Amino acid sequence: MSDDHFMREALALAQQAAALGEVPVGAVVVKDSVIIGRGCNQPIAAHDPTAHAEIVAMRNAATMTRNYRLTGCELYVTLEPCVMCAGAIMHARVERVIYGATDPKTGACGSVVDLFLNAKLNHHATVVPGVLAEECSAKLRAFFSQRRLDQSDT
């Protein structure tokens, strides 16, 4: 399976987040070409500031594998991970991170900082940016555009 295939799965989860009124970010964890974890943003609904799509997907994968280490796994996410998520990715020992849209405000894979290139940190995942970037970015732009319209109506 290709990176595009798994990113499309993450995009479908991002749509679920948007339907819940959450920022539309989706993520899947893949091992041996099989999705073993899925997640979408849900910090508002879950009343949990850590409920980013990446964290939810990794929790799901860890439960499925009955192991907090996700060695040999890949994480596909529609938006560049933040510092919190990058730290969790490192602790889980995810091998590869593939993301769509860059995040110029909080991105921790090169946009603001690059934690995976810091030699002092313990684990270094391979990062692949820009997979289906335009589709991922368009979903975020549409969400925030609609949010601005909704706020101007009140």
Side-chain angles (χ1 to χ4, degrees):
M1 301 270 174
S2 70
D3 286 347
D4 286 6
H5 170 79
F6 292 116
M7 188 61 73
R8 289 193 194 292
E9 293 290 326
L11 277 162
L13 290 161
Q15 186 58 43
Q16 288 181 20
L20 296 171
E22 304 275 1
V23 175
V25 179
V28 295
V29 176
V30 174
K31 184 165 185 154
D32 300 325
S33 298
V34 175
I35 296 174
I36 62 166
R38 298 175 186 272
C40 67
N41 260 9
Q42 48 189 288
I44 297 166
H47 308 290
D48 179 357
T50 69
H52 289 194
E54 301 95 310
I55 303 290
V56 174
M58 287 189 295
R59 285 177 180 156
N60 185 237
T63 299
M64 292 293 290
T65 61
R66 301 179 53 87
N67 192 338
Y68 74 106
R69 295 283 195 221
L70 298 175
T71 55
C73 291
E74 301 170 313
L75 174 74
Y76 291 81
V77 60
T78 58
L79 181 64
E80 179 181 2
C82 68
V83 171
M84 174 186 69
C85 292
I89 290 163
M90 286 181 204
H91 286 291
R93 304 293 193 263
V94 170
E95 189 171 301
R96 208 167 150 245
V97 177
I98 304 92
Y99 71 86
T102 59
D103 188 344
K105 293 183 179 180
T106 64
C109 297
S111 291
V112 177
V113 297
D114 195 334
L115 293 184
F116 295 106
L117 286 183
N118 187 325
K120 292 182 179 182
L121 295 174
N122 194 25
H123 176 71
H124 301 97
T126 300
V127 176
V128 179
V131 174
L132 301 182
E134 185 48 42
E135 290 178 49
C136 294
S137 295
K139 188 168 289 300
L140 288 159
R141 281 192 307 272
F143 175 82
F144 286 110
S145 177
Q146 184 61 50
R147 182 178 268 183
R148 285 189 292 278
L149 282 173
D150 292 346
Q151 290 175 348
S152 69
D153 290 341
T154 57

